[in-house]
Amino acid sequence: MNFIFVALGGAAGAMGRYAISLLPARTEFPVLTFITNILGAVLIGFIVGLTESRESVSSHAVLFWKTGVCGGFTTFSTFSLESYTLLQNKKYFLGSGYMLLSVICCLIGVFCGRKLAMAVH
């Protein structure tokens, strides 16, 4: 049953991301993705804040919103929450390393993926 809630939330998040991508705001700076990532970070922070202060929030609702909607909307929201949590827990070195390594490794991953695609194409 949990998979159903995640799937439904993921579909809603993906549709929201797509809807934002249709907005007429084309610039060299990826403003729509930037906005999507910020909205996702705000949303996951809001969800975590609600669930921390209320024990009555169902696990299905958390799966729908946090894992499903935020995951389908942007995984950057999860990255942001994890980074924030590390820093909040005073794990500054670990948090900074996680952020730096995530950005660098993901950029390298994109580079490698593109090279691989060109090699098989």
Side-chain angles (χ1 to χ4, degrees), residues 31-120:
V31 67
L32 297 178
T33 300
F34 185 69
I35 290 168
T36 300
N37 288 336
I38 292 170
L39 289 173
V42 170
L43 181 59
I44 202 168
F46 179 76
I47 293 163
V48 169
L50 278 181
T51 58
E52 286 177 344
S53 63
R54 295 189 178 125
E55 293 179 21
S56 63
V57 178
S58 78
S59 62
H60 293 304
V62 173
L63 282 173
F64 176 85
W65 285 103
K66 187 176 166 191
T67 306
V69 173
C70 290
F73 192 62
T74 172
T75 57
F76 196 80
S77 57
T78 302
F79 165 76
S80 300
L81 175 63
E82 291 168 342
S83 299
Y84 177 82
T85 301
L86 287 169
L87 296 175
Q88 184 182 36
N89 292 333
K90 297 183 178 20
K91 296 180 181 179
Y92 302 114
F93 182 76
L94 187 61
S96 298
Y98 175 64
M99 290 183 281
L100 185 63
L101 283 172
S102 293
V103 171
I104 290 171
C105 291
C106 287
L107 287 172
I108 292 169
V110 169
F111 172 80
C112 291
R114 289 182 56 116
K115 289 293 184 186
L116 180 62
M118 289 190 297
V120 290

